[in-house]
Amino acid sequence: MTISLNSPLDMHLHLRDQEMLKVVAPLSAEIFAGAVIMPNLVPPITTIEVLESYRDRIVESIGDSKFAPWMTLFFKSDYDREFLESAKEHIKAIKLYPAGITTNSEGGVSGIDPKSLAQTLGAMSDLGIPLLVHGESNGFVMDREKEFGAVYAQLAEAFPDLKIVMEHITTKESAKLLERYENLYATITLHHLLITLDDVAGGMLQPHLFCKPIAKRPEDREALLRLALEAHPKVMFGSDSAPHPQSAKESYGCAAGVFTAPIALQALTGLFEAHNALDHIQAFVSDNAQSIYGVKPPQKIVTLEKKPFEVPDNYGEVVPMFAADVLEWSIQSID
Ligand code: NCD
Ligand code: ZN
């Protein structure tokens, strides 16, 4: 049994830089046709010069792979219109982080309200640049995304023409918000479709499943699964694959992030098959994103077959999700 995916896309990806970039970028570039690249480097990407030289390093690290790295800037409330006009041709979106909420987000925004962000958001809306949001408050860890719902509502109402993507949603409340506001969209990760907090901390602590936002309750996972399996047109696959060295994960003070890029398509195919939803996987991993972002990725056919795939223990210094497990689907060919 096989299934072919046409130009699979990862609409939320961390590639890092330097040695880590060289390890992880080829893994994504081999099996995906394009990805939205997150800007939370140290320091974050806030100028076109830095962004273009980062893109060059990505392109250099992926060799001949047919892969579009779609770049993003790190949101600042004082970007002026002229800057954004010239940035537009270099980027696909701008990513907003609440200050300090996740890995390398110290330079983010404290106290998000539409008025204080109006300079940048107004120009983005006029120029048609989508806003990507890490939607968490600084409240109790399990309630952060739910609490952020009020901010999503304010942003969506204040800027009705701005495309807003709720990144890596994890709650049933976020799933509902999608229906309430026409200009809200969402990415969903692989791991949030598969795990709950129980898998992270219900038994022995699993550092490689620890990420932001933290995995939630079974009913939240159900709500995400419904959206993904029906390939809801406002929802796209975004792995949020976020590599950290093993030493930073298995340590005192575990870094947040799950590394899924090289195993995501195999695991997603297994998940969609288990729910008799294979006819919707193409829309979830590519078509919806193409319509939402208005992008045309390079042509790449990835064929998966139902044949055991032994997930490696590690890729360089990084331990993937399902390390040393056997998945039911593997990649057969890439054309
Ligand atoms: C991401 C990272 O490591 O850059 N970590 C994570 O837990 N998801 C940042 C992010 O997307 O929150
Ligand atoms: Zn992320």
Side-chain angles (χ1 to χ4, degrees), residues 158-197:
F159 299 95
D161 297 327
L162 179 66
K163 251 181 202 174
I164 302 172
V165 184
M166 303 187 285
E167 293 296 330
H168 43 52
I169 58 170
T170 61
T171 66
K172 59 185 192 317
E173 288 80 11
S174 296
K176 286 212 190 91
L177 273 177
L178 272 182
E179 307 295 350
R180 205 164 303 150
Y181 295 97
E182 207 182 318
N183 55 335
L184 286 185
Y185 300 83
T187 55
I188 301 182
T189 72
L190 167 71
H191 48 284
H192 292 120
L193 291 171
L194 292 174
I195 64 170
T196 67
L197 183 62

Side-chain angles (χ1 to χ4, degrees), residues 12-16 38 40-41 95 97 101-105 134 136 167-168 189 191-192 210-214 239-244 249 255-258:
H12 183 133
L13 176 65
H14 298 271
L15 286 182
R16 315 300 191 205
M38 291 297 130
N40 62 330
L41 301 185
K95 174 76 185 285
Y97 292 89
I101 201 67
T102 188
T103 309
N104 305 339
S105 64
H134 183 116
E136 290 196 282
E167 293 296 330
H168 43 52
T189 72
H191 48 284
H192 292 120
F210 173 65
C211 67
K212 303 291 178 68
I214 193 94
S239 70
D240 195 16
S241 180
H244 293 276
K249 295 290 286 175
V258 183

Side-chain angles (χ1 to χ4, degrees), residues 53-100:
S53 76
Y54 183 39
R55 187 211 299 271
D56 289 345
R57 293 194 294 285
I58 294 171
V59 169
E60 197 176 312
S61 67
I62 63 179
D64 295 334
S65 294
K66 284 184 285 175
F67 177 78
W70 290 315
M71 308 304 287
T72 61
L73 280 170
F74 192 93
F75 184 95
K76 280 175 46 187
S77 55
D78 61 354
Y79 284 142
D80 61 41
R81 185 171 292 260
E82 210 180 318
F83 168 74
L84 292 172
E85 273 167 11
S86 56
K88 188 180 161 166
E89 63 184 284
H90 300 266
I91 60 174
K92 282 285 175 284
I94 296 181
K95 174 76 185 285
L96 170 63
Y97 292 89

